Amino acid sequence: MSKLQKTNTAQYVSLVLCLVNNKQLSNENMPSNHVKKRIYNSCGLDRGTADRKIFDALSNIEGTFVMEIGHDYSFIHDSIYEAIAYHYGQEFPEQILEFMPSNFILNKVIVVGSPTFNDLNIKIKESHFLKLAERLYLDLESNKLFDVFMNQALTYQPFLEVFIELIRKKPYEDFKFTFLTPRIGNSDHLINYDDLGERKYEDIYRDETIRRELLTDKRERESLEGKISQYVTFDQIDKLGCLLRAHSSFTRNC
């Protein structure tokens, strides 16, 4: 990938665009101009590059890196997808955190210090811990709770502290909207339906509801009584930390 990046930047960029666009690229299905300009600038490609040049580049690597399915180009194999993600992510991890979907962040991004059995995982250094924490909080706001709470980064104490400190600085109204509003009043969004195993849906639903109530039950009543301060309190963060640790296989008794 390094050789391709240096010898044919347009081809390399076309693969990155396919990467951040959910593995599909066509004239009708391109990343936003903002995303394209960020990637072009990072890779040293003229920001005024026409889309036609990108698709000419894809045409030249069809059968090697990509294939055409209908009107879309896609990666010829998942190994190509993983290789380009790893290569680009090593150099521009902040863009991976910004542009890639939450399930990719869950499965392919780890923090330095966490054990890994996959050499193609993108390792986030301490200097980018806050950026990852901000991304996870954004996913919480988008109701991607499973992808956040199951992220292995939360099992690494130095990162967990950064994440909790970020939440602690949030105004209470933001915190309440993310965790306590009726839109997440049940626990369906916490269940991974693809991995129920031998457990019954009802059992998992009960367990997740109990965990959610560790965070929400008391504050719902206090909010109605007008006792909530403007910013998130230490007690709220402590209970949120317990919730995070419960989802991340920590053994502390909340």
Side-chain angles (χ1 to χ4, degrees), residues 13-200:
V13 167
S14 71
L15 293 175
V16 175
L17 292 176
C18 192
L19 168 74
V20 302
N21 205 51
N22 199 27
K23 298 189 281 188
Q24 293 181 328
L25 208 62
S26 68
N27 283 310
E28 295 76 27
N29 183 20
M30 288 281 284
S32 68
N33 287 333
H34 166 72
V35 172
K36 287 194 294 184
K37 288 180 180 180
R38 288 278 303 279
I39 293 172
Y40 291 176
N41 187 60
S42 297
C43 295
L45 189 67
D46 189 331
R47 287 188 293 178
T49 298
D51 289 348
R52 180 175 179 177
K53 184 172 182 178
I54 297 299
F55 287 103
D56 285 345
L58 285 170
S59 177
N60 289 331
I61 55 176
E62 185 177 354
T64 305
F65 293 107
V66 298
M67 58 184 174
E68 194 169 9
I69 304 175
H71 298 293
D72 293 304
Y73 282 100
S74 186
F75 293 104
I76 199 168
H77 194 275
D78 282 345
S79 61
I80 304 298
Y81 169 73
E82 292 184 359
I84 190 67
Y86 175 78
H87 187 271
Y88 194 72
Q90 288 298 102
E91 192 168 356
F92 304 106
E94 71 283 355
Q95 291 187 28
I96 292 294
L97 295 177
E98 184 175 350
F99 300 147
M100 296 301 286
S102 61
N103 63 340
F104 181 92
I105 304 300
L106 167 66
N107 294 311
K108 295 297 181 182
V109 172
I110 64 170
V111 293
V112 171
S114 295
T116 176
F117 301 100
N118 186 343
D119 291 338
L120 292 180
N121 279 340
I122 298 169
K123 301 175 180 65
I124 302 299
K125 298 179 180 179
E126 187 174 354
S127 58
H128 287 104
F129 277 9
L130 181 57
K131 184 73 173 180
L132 175 58
E134 290 171 343
R135 170 56 196 265
L136 293 185
Y137 192 83
L138 182 64
D139 287 338
L140 285 178
E141 292 181 315
S142 301
N143 216 20
K144 305 291 186 181
L145 300 195
F146 181 86
D147 289 346
V148 173
F149 288 141
M150 295 306 295
N151 195 300
Q152 288 300 305
L154 296 176
T155 67
Y156 186 57
Q157 189 66 29
F159 173 76
L160 181 62
E161 292 172 359
V162 172
F163 185 57
I164 291 178
E165 184 62 24
L166 171 71
I167 296 175
R168 189 177 184 182
K169 293 178 180 178
K170 296 290 183 180
Y172 180 72
E173 285 304 315
D174 292 350
F175 182 83
K176 179 181 177 181
F177 181 79
T178 300
F179 292 102
L180 309 182
T181 51
R183 68 193 177 97
I184 59 170
N186 62 65
S187 296
D188 286 316
H189 53 290
L190 294 173
I191 297 175
N192 180 9
Y193 292 94
D194 295 329
D195 192 28
L196 289 177
E198 297 181 357
R199 299 186 66 195
K200 294 181 179 179

